[in-house]
Amino acid sequence: MNLRKRKRGVSAEVHTSAMNDITFFLLLFFLIASTVTNPNVIKLLLPKSSSGQAVSKKTIVVSVTKDLRYYVDKKEVPVAQLQATLATYKSVATQLTIVLYVDKTVAIQDVVAVMDISQKLNIKLVLATEPK
């Protein structure tokens, strides 16, 4: 009986030391390539106009204090004149937005009254709040 080990002539080895370098360079390439490209951007050549007009956008601050005093851009306005005052601002700017600052003790009906005025005049209204 022959109990000696047989020698194999060729052993199968895979050298993976270079694979770490290749993986690192591929990862680096894809990171750089992904930050450079933005798939949401569509490049357009827009036409030029000689009679183009800029759209005027304006923001008005309307404040209501706890004793029901109304202020339009830091000028006190009687509640009866509020709609007329906002209408003059509307005639000056085509796109107008009202930022409404209201004390938290003011009744909701007074806030709705200002909202109704902005709705009648077709003015956007944003209600300002404090972050928690």
Side-chain angles (χ1 to χ4, degrees), residues 83 113-123:
Q83 185 169 352
V114 177
M115 289 180 173
D116 286 341
I117 292 172
S118 71
Q119 183 68 30
K120 287 177 188 174
L121 296 174
N122 197 17
I123 301 173

Side-chain angles (χ1 to χ4, degrees), residues 51-91:
S51 65
Q53 295 177 343
V55 177
S56 61
K57 295 180 181 179
K58 182 157 175 59
T59 303
I60 298 176
V61 176
V62 176
S63 304
V64 182
T65 62
K66 61 182 174 183
D67 53 346
L68 295 180
R69 289 187 175 180
Y70 291 82
Y71 293 90
V72 176
D73 284 340
K74 298 183 181 179
K75 296 176 187 173
E76 188 171 358
V77 176
V79 71
Q81 297 294 322
L82 185 62
Q83 185 169 352
T85 305
L86 293 176
T88 58
Y89 281 102
K90 177 69 176 175
S91 64

Side-chain angles (χ1 to χ4, degrees), residues 11-89:
S11 65
E13 291 183 17
V14 178
H15 295 284
T16 60
S17 60
M19 193 175 286
N20 291 336
D21 295 337
I22 293 170
T23 306
F24 174 73
F25 284 120
L26 283 174
L27 179 69
L28 187 66
F29 171 76
F30 285 119
L31 279 173
I32 292 173
S34 67
T35 57
V36 171
T37 60
N38 189 354
N40 295 331
V41 175
I42 299 173
K43 293 184 181 182
L44 297 174
L45 292 174
L46 298 176
K48 295 181 181 179
S49 173
S50 61
S51 65
Q53 295 177 343
V55 177
S56 61
K57 295 180 181 179
K58 182 157 175 59
T59 303
I60 298 176
V61 176
V62 176
S63 304
V64 182
T65 62
K66 61 182 174 183
D67 53 346
L68 295 180
R69 289 187 175 180
Y70 291 82
Y71 293 90
V72 176
D73 284 340
K74 298 183 181 179
K75 296 176 187 173
E76 188 171 358
V77 176
V79 71
Q81 297 294 322
L82 185 62
Q83 185 169 352
T85 305
L86 293 176
T88 58
Y89 281 102

Side-chain angles (χ1 to χ4, degrees), residues 89-105:
Y89 281 102
K90 177 69 176 175
S91 64
V92 173
T94 55
Q95 289 187 357
L96 191 63
T97 303
I98 296 174
V99 179
L100 183 59
Y101 290 90
V102 182
D103 192 82
K104 63 181 177 181
T105 59

